[in-house]
Amino acid sequence: MLKQSRIFTHDRYQRIFLAAACIALASQVNFQTYAPGFIVTLSVFILPVILYFNRDFNPIGLTVAVAIASPIFRGALLFISHDVNPHNNIIYILADMAFYLCYGFLYYFLYWRRGQRSNTTFFLTIVLCDYLANLLEVSLLTDFNDYTYRLFQILFITALIRSLVSCLLAFLYHYFQLMLRQENHEQRYYHFIWVASAVNSEVYFMRKNISEIENVMKNAYLLNQDLQNADVSEAERDKALQIARDVHEIKKDYQNVIRGLGDYFNDDGGDTAMQLADILKVTTDYIRESIKPKFQNVTIEVHNHVDLVVPNHYYLVSILSNLIFNSVDAMEGRPSGVVVVSVVDDGNDILLNVCDNASGMDAETLSMIFQPGFTTKFNENGDVYRGIGLSHVKIIAQEQFDGDIQVDSQLGKGTNFEVKLSKKRLVQEEDA
């Protein structure tokens, strides 16, 4: 803890030193105004920006460092250049120091110590700090004489303009950071929806496979019973029983995986429903980013004419993503391609079409694409592509949305998948 504290303190001092050095350099960009020694500098534009983005430490420390660095740096240059006599040089240095010290203490008491802070309060505080600190500096340079109404006007207008410019820079940069952060969060959200959809689809079919596992276990047990009266060795009879036990353990592990994935990726709070337009946006935006390295010339267009809220959006994302990826993969080797996703109202149903201008499929391929396990996709190692497959897409459409899927394809022209989905089932919550 002690070492971390020292590192943190060292980092804080380093930031103060860098800020003071920047402001000291910026103070050399200036022009003289109302009284000798009273200058308007670029440094006062930078100081509010630094204060805005360094709210984690006491501003008095920063302004004290600036009050030492900036005036002394200016005084050294005036001394070397012999532009003013030593006495006036000291007065200018003290006046500059008074400006920054006054600015820092006012900022500390008016804004930094407040529990609730806002951009409006920050702006008003900066205007007041600039105005009063300037007034103090001019008063020191004029021996608290020669006050005129025009002086107060000049000081206020100067403070207002400098504060407006400084706060505008700070707020715009902060807003830009928030926009980038929001975009990053949105991409993460898209990724989560995508992963959750894939997992939910896999869990859905894992649940369906439980019955098949139970049948294997049941048949192994029945085989053991049948072998009790058969002329076989005890070891042979025990093999069937051991198979039943092993399958039972596999079933338990299988159920634990299903339960764990289902609990993590299913939100039972009732707030998982998504607008159909958002589902299309999430899916197509993510696919565009995913295919960009390999399919730069493939365009994905979306035409949606239906406004629905879909509770079971994970399944719809799975349907869409598999069909779109099928179309994109069919573009491999082609100079360019277009995938058009359209959604139209068809009375009690909606029709979801995914159409492409790829190479199309022959009659033999068309007759097999919805068969379980059929695929034309292999990776470089010869492994079968492991998406949920068109057979599972059809099952989801039928079982989850009381729909169906049809395909029309012509060699050399392209393919169109038409998915019919029941509106009633689309807007219905999934049965427990």
Side-chain angles (χ1 to χ4, degrees), residues 109-405:
F109 287 105
L110 295 177
Y111 180 80
W112 193 81
R113 288 184 62 187
R114 293 169 60 94
Q116 296 181 347
R117 304 172 185 174
S118 66
N119 288 343
T120 302
T121 308
F122 177 81
F123 170 71
L124 295 175
T125 302
I126 292 301
V127 173
L128 190 59
C129 290
D130 195 321
Y131 176 69
L132 294 178
N134 265 335
L135 183 60
L136 176 61
E137 183 180 3
V138 171
S139 299
L140 290 173
L141 292 172
T142 59
D143 293 329
F144 295 90
N145 292 317
D146 300 330
Y147 292 116
T148 64
Y149 180 71
R150 182 171 176 271
L151 169 64
F152 295 112
Q153 281 185 317
I154 292 174
L155 294 181
F156 180 75
I157 292 173
T158 301
L160 184 61
I161 293 174
R162 291 198 296 202
S163 300
L164 278 171
V165 173
S166 299
C167 291
L168 184 63
L169 290 173
F171 297 162
L172 283 177
Y173 182 71
H174 186 230
Y175 178 74
F176 178 70
Q177 285 183 317
L178 291 177
M179 290 290 290
L180 291 178
R181 196 175 303 160
Q182 181 180 358
E183 183 179 353
N184 185 44
H185 288 170
E186 186 176 89
Q187 291 300 322
R188 290 183 180 181
Y189 174 70
Y190 286 1
H191 181 70
F192 174 79
I193 293 293
W194 184 267
V195 172
S197 299
V199 171
N200 272 275
S201 297
E202 296 292 347
V203 168
Y204 177 72
F205 290 105
M206 288 172 72
R207 288 196 180 104
K208 291 175 69 67
N209 291 338
I210 287 290
S211 60
E212 297 179 11
I213 294 175
E214 289 176 342
N215 286 334
V216 173
M217 181 177 63
K218 178 182 177 182
N219 291 333
Y221 181 77
L222 291 175
L223 177 61
N224 173 262
Q225 297 297 311
D226 293 340
L227 291 175
Q228 295 297 324
N229 301 320
D231 187 18
V232 295
S233 65
E234 185 177 352
E236 297 254 338
R237 291 194 296 269
D238 288 344
K239 280 183 181 179
L241 184 59
Q242 186 61 43
I243 290 173
R245 289 171 178 168
D246 290 342
V247 172
H248 179 68
E249 291 302 315
I250 293 173
K251 174 188 171 184
K252 287 200 302 183
D253 292 340
Y254 210 68
Q255 288 176 323
N256 287 335
V257 172
I258 292 172
R259 189 179 301 111
L261 292 176
D263 289 345
Y264 186 80
F265 285 97
N266 279 328
D267 183 0
D268 297 327
D271 59 349
T272 60
M274 289 181 65
Q275 290 282 347
L276 178 58
D278 293 333
I279 295 172
L280 291 167
K281 183 179 187 307
V282 167
T283 307
T284 54
D285 282 0
Y286 195 83
I287 293 177
R288 287 187 186 105
E289 290 299 315
S290 300
I291 68 174
K292 190 179 295 182
K294 188 176 179 181
F295 299 95
Q296 296 181 357
N297 297 322
V298 173
T299 303
I300 301 175
E301 298 180 5
V302 178
H303 305 287
N304 178 32
H305 306 284
V306 178
D307 183 20
L308 285 178
V309 177
V310 183
N312 300 328
H313 61 273
Y314 292 131
Y315 296 126
L316 189 54
V317 170
S318 293
I319 292 173
L320 278 167
S321 61
N322 276 272
L323 294 179
I324 296 173
F325 267 128
N326 275 334
S327 293
V328 171
D329 289 336
M331 304 285 185
E332 189 168 5
R334 299 175 68 89
S336 62
V338 178
V339 179
V340 179
V341 181
S342 63
V343 185
V344 296
D345 195 315
D346 188 41
N348 295 326
D349 305 311
I350 70 163
L351 299 180
L352 190 158
N353 286 273
V354 178
C355 181
D356 64 62
N357 63 345
S359 55
M361 292 178 281
D362 56 30
E364 183 181 359
T365 304
L366 280 173
S367 66
M368 295 187 296
I369 58 172
F370 293 117
Q371 293 181 10
F374 175 78
T375 181
T376 60
K377 302 174 186 177
F378 298 85
N379 64 15
E380 295 176 354
N381 298 322
D383 296 328
V384 177
Y385 171 75
R386 299 186 184 276
I388 65 170
L390 288 173
S391 63
H392 284 176
V393 169
K394 187 170 185 176
I395 291 173
I396 290 177
Q398 292 173 340
E399 296 186 358
Q400 288 297 315
F401 300 115
D402 196 18
D404 204 357
I405 180 170

